[in-house]
Structures are given as structure tokens and as C-alpha cells.
Amino acid sequence: MKLGVNVDHVATIRQARASKVPDPVEAALAAELAGADGITVHLRSDRRHIQERDLRLLREIVKTKLNLEMAVTDEMTKIAAEIEPHSITLVPEKPDELTTEGGLDIKANMNAIEKLIKKLEGKSIIIGAFIDTDIEQIDCAVKLGLNHIEINTGKYAEKWPEREAEEELEKIKRSVDYALQKELIVNGGHGLDYKNVIPIREITGINELNIGHSIVARAVIVGMYEAVCEMLALIGDF
Ligand code: PXP
């Protein structure tokens, strides 16, 4: 399984002091050096962590793949068109949420997403969306011609290690199987850490996991290189 490292929270620490350090760009370099398959950032409308400066520099220096998580807005579409990251993953955004709270309701946003896709036509950007374990949402992703989906593992992670996590795990498995039948690339992410990722890595067909908070939290103690190596030792293909 591939690992995309989300470096948003390196920027969270920097923004806490409106300082220049730690730099998510340096963190991305260290993550790549450790073997990460991609770097993910979420440029939020409120710019609470990642800034446009980060995105521009990351676009220059990331040697693997840069995935931009973004809301379906005109502002973000313009920025994506200008920066041309390798891929974008559309996410919902609420101003006062601590983190992305659930998958994007593609069904309720079909027109807006269609418009976004049209505006990015001709750019070499792969487009996907972060969704809950919902077959209807997968059908909508197919209708829109999206390249990939990222299945929200947040509900599973919240319940882990309780028994109810099993139910969420089953929903993830069913969604992965269904999306693969529909020839979508299937990624996963949200709330995953060094323990709850173990049952997830057993699911065949998941292309990549996007993991942020737990890796950055560990990196604060052991360093980014080591934190990424440890996660790769758990989920990487060797
Ligand atoms: N995937 C998506 C779509 C997200 O919004 C986030 C959080 O920014 C992640 C993955 C990573 O989640 P976590 O920081 O909990 O690992």
C-alpha cells in the first residue's frame, strides 16, 4: 500500500506562533527521503495551517506526487488551475470544524463539481473526492468521471478499538470492492495511526493511505524521517 503523508499539522505548529518554523516544505522533503509515495496538503479557505506559499514551494520541490485537498469553491479552483498539483481531492469544509468531519456529499454537489472539472479541463490534474462509505456517492463519482475516491476512515478510527469498529471496517471493505468494480482508484484516510492502520492494511485493493496527524505527532518526538519509516514498515509494499 502506498503512503501519502499529510504535512498540514507541521504548518499548524508554525502558525501557532506566526513563525517561519517548522516548515512543511522541509517536512515534505524528509518524508520523501524516508520513502513516502506522495505529499498531501489541505489549503483551507481560512488558511489556518497551509499557506499559498507552502503550496507553491511544494509544487516545485515534491519529487513524488503532490495531492491538494480542497473545497469545491471558485477560489480554490483558480489556485489549483494555477499551481497544477499532480492531483486534487475534493473535500467538504466547515469554518469551525477541527478537521474534515466527513466525506463530501458528491450527490448534492454534482453541478458545482461538474463546473470545477470543466474549469480544470486541459490541465494535467487528476481529480478525485473524499467520500463516506456510501455506494450512492461512489456511483456519483463514476458519473462525474472522477479518477479516484478517498474513502473516509474517520468513523472507523473513532470507534477503534471498540467492537463497533468492525462494522465500519466492513463498510470500508464493501466500498473498496464496489469502487474497484467501477474501475476507480481507491485511496483511504482520516484518523489513521500506527495501531488502527493494521486492519486497514489487510484490505486488498486500497492504493494509498493519506495519513497526517499521527505521523506529525510522532515526528515531533522521533523526527519526520523516523516517523514515516515506521509507518512505511507497517503498510508499505516491500
Ligand atoms: N484525508 C483527508 C481527506 C483529510 O481531510 C485528512 C485530514 O486533513 C486526512 C486524510 C488525514 O487525516 P489525519 O490527519 O487524521 O491522518
Side-chain angles (χ1 to χ4, degrees):
M1 227 170 248
K2 291 185 198 147
L3 172 65
V5 176
N6 180 319
V7 294
D8 289 355
H9 293 309
V10 176
T12 302
I13 301 174
R14 176 189 62 192
Q15 297 310 112
R17 282 295 178 94
S19 158
K20 289 190 174 167
V21 291
D23 192 332
V25 178
E26 288 175 349
L29 285 172
E32 282 194 328
L33 207 60
D37 300 285
I39 301 296
T40 292
V41 288
H42 183 176
L43 183 69
R44 296 187 71 107
S45 305
D46 63 10
R47 305 293 193 273
R48 68 170 74 160
H49 40 51
I50 293 296
Q51 308 294 310
E52 281 173 65
R53 167 262 184 209
D54 303 328
L55 192 58
R56 283 176 212 288
L57 289 177
L58 285 167
R59 179 66 183 85
E60 291 294 315
I61 63 105
V62 166
K63 293 177 199 69
T64 52
K65 289 172 179 176
L66 178 64
N67 174 46
L68 170 65
E69 288 175 6
M70 54 174 259
V72 185
T73 63
D74 289 342
E75 186 210 11
M76 287 310 308
T77 308
K78 223 169 125 195
I79 292 172
E82 198 191 312
I83 304 277
E84 279 195 74
H86 176 79
S87 62
I88 60 176
T89 303
L90 304 172
V91 298
E93 220 175 83
K94 286 191 210 146
D96 41 1
E97 65 189 354
L98 277 180
T99 180
T100 314
E101 281 174 356
L104 178 67
D105 187 350
I106 304 189
K107 195 177 168 203
N109 288 282
M110 291 293 272
N111 288 345
I113 299 172
E114 243 159 16
K115 271 189 207 152
L116 177 147
I117 293 170
K118 274 224 173 82
K119 281 188 191 156
L120 295 180
E121 236 167 37
K123 304 275 175 193
S124 54
I125 306 174
I126 291 167
I127 306 176
F130 178 63
I131 59 168
D132 288 327
T133 51
D134 180 341
I135 300 300
E136 225 184 339
Q137 296 291 341
I138 297 172
D139 284 336
C140 291
V142 173
K143 242 184 236 164
L144 284 166
L146 295 184
N147 166 77
H148 63 279
I149 53 164
E150 179 177 327
I151 294 183
N152 180 14
T153 53
K155 282 188 191 140
Y156 155 80
E158 255 170 46
K159 291 178 179 164
W160 198 90
E162 305 305 325
R163 243 204 144 82
E164 297 89 61
E166 278 294 323
E167 230 171 88
E168 295 299 333
L169 198 63
E170 284 309 312
K171 286 187 201 165
I172 294 170
K173 283 183 195 164
R174 278 200 294 273
S175 299
V176 172
D177 287 345
Y178 187 76
L180 287 175
Q181 278 172 36
K182 300 282 172 183
E183 297 183 349
L184 284 163
I185 290 172
V186 187
N187 300 328
H190 214 273
L192 297 177
D193 63 27
Y194 293 80
K195 291 207 164 78
N196 66 20
V197 79
I198 305 295
I200 298 284
R201 78 169 178 196
E202 305 303 334
I203 303 175
T204 31
I206 297 183
N207 169 59
E208 179 171 288
L209 295 178
N210 276 307
I211 307 183
H213 184 266
S214 65
I215 290 179
V216 173
R218 191 150 183 85
V220 170
I221 312 298
V222 303
M224 181 55 86
Y225 183 88
E226 178 62 25
V228 172
C229 284
E230 286 179 28
M231 188 55 84
L232 277 170
L234 296 175
I235 70 160
D237 302 314
F238 299 102

